[in-house]
Amino acid sequence: MKIFDEIKKYLNDNYFGTVECAHCKKSGRVRKFFKTADGKTICESCERKLPTALRENLKESCYEEVEEVLSYMDYSEKELAPKFNCDLSYEFFYVDTKNGLYRLSYSSPVLEIKNIETYSFSFEPTEARDKLIGATVTGDVKAVIVTKSPKMCYNESIAYMVKGKAKKNFGSSIYVYENPKKLDEFLEKFESVVERFIENDNTEISE
């Protein structure tokens, strides 16, 4: 009978038992929940709110870190999203320059510009160099953004199959890729917005 009890416990602990989400308190079958490194359970809905990097490393992350991010996501949904009004964008990256907000896609959470620690946008060609035709190349654009509080890292594609320029120095077989023109125009405007809101935030803190 002991072997059957062990099997029953295993099935209950991993598939058919009922557990509660540590964040939203939603109950459900354990097979649809995720666990943090310290054994806390997170439901599918809450897990989807996490940045990709944290979601992929949930088993190695402590619940305190996860809870801090989820609480911020609740704040984003209730306080930031209702007032978000895009007036600057590049493909799927949207910015509210008046309220100092941005989102990495139409369905992603709204985040605060003043909370940005570092960011970068990169054009990544998808065509092989030996297949390039003329002086143009098609590729995707990725945005990497690290925030301060809570500490999060987003590494997302914000544009697909956009065209950029490619040039090759005389006598060389290596191509050098340039950003799409619209991306450079966007980055120039976005940089000034970021500087303004981070400067204002630092001024408020010093006061």
Side-chain angles (χ1 to χ4, degrees):
M1 293 294 294
K2 184 178 180 181
I3 185 65
F4 290 108
D5 290 339
E6 290 177 353
I7 293 173
K8 181 179 179 181
K9 184 179 185 306
Y10 174 81
L11 293 174
N12 189 64
D13 291 346
N14 294 278
Y15 295 97
F16 304 118
T18 300
V19 293
E20 180 181 86
C21 178
H23 177 71
C24 71
K25 308 308 178 185
K26 174 184 176 181
S27 297
R29 296 294 187 189
V30 66
R31 68 177 181 273
K32 292 187 176 181
F33 281 64
F34 303 85
K35 278 190 176 182
T36 61
D38 44 357
K40 297 291 186 179
T41 51
I42 305 295
C43 70
E44 286 181 307
S45 296
C46 289
E47 188 262 354
R48 283 196 294 267
K49 295 178 182 179
L50 300 173
T52 303
L54 181 54
R55 203 163 58 236
E56 292 177 346
N57 293 281
L58 192 58
K59 290 182 178 180
E60 289 77 41
S61 304
C62 65
Y63 177 68
E64 184 179 359
E65 176 187 5
V66 175
E67 172 60 25
E68 185 181 11
V69 173
L70 288 175
S71 295
Y72 184 84
M73 292 303 147
D74 291 341
Y75 162 71
S76 170
E77 184 178 351
K78 295 175 182 177
E79 302 293 334
L80 304 181
K83 63 182 181 181
F84 183 80
N85 184 27
C86 175
D87 56 1
L88 175 66
S89 65
Y90 176 75
E91 296 294 323
F92 301 117
F93 192 92
Y94 307 98
V95 184
D96 178 344
T97 65
K98 293 182 175 62
N99 292 307
L101 305 172
Y102 69 99
R103 64 196 324 168
L104 286 86
S105 72
Y106 181 76
S107 59
S108 73
V110 176
L111 305 172
E112 296 166 296
I113 290 176
K114 69 180 183 180
N115 203 27
I116 292 177
E117 185 173 289
T118 61
Y119 72 92
S120 66
F121 291 74
S122 60
F123 174 56
E124 300 184 357
T126 55
E127 298 269 3
R129 287 174 178 167
D130 57 357
K131 293 183 180 179
L132 287 173
I133 300 175
T136 62
V137 63
T138 302
D140 301 337
V141 176
K142 279 195 173 183
V144 178
I145 297 181
V146 177
T147 64
K148 292 179 285 189
S149 179
K151 194 75 173 181
M152 297 185 291
C153 178
Y154 285 90
N155 186 351
E156 308 288 343
S157 294
I158 60 165
Y160 301 91
M161 301 301 289
V162 294
K163 287 186 177 182
K165 291 183 178 180
K167 61 181 180 180
K168 186 167 61 174
N169 293 331
F170 181 76
S172 172
S173 60
I174 299 176
Y175 284 92
V176 178
Y177 305 110
E178 297 179 2
N179 282 341
K181 182 180 179 181
K182 288 184 178 180
L183 175 59
D184 281 336
E185 292 173 351
F186 165 79
L187 288 177
E188 184 177 354
K189 296 176 183 177
F190 183 62
E191 182 178 358
S192 65
V193 176
V194 172
E195 289 177 351
R196 173 160 54 91
F197 278 94
I198 288 181
E199 181 179 345
N200 289 341
D201 187 53
N202 290 336
T203 301
E204 291 175 4
I205 292 174
S206 63
E207 292 175 351

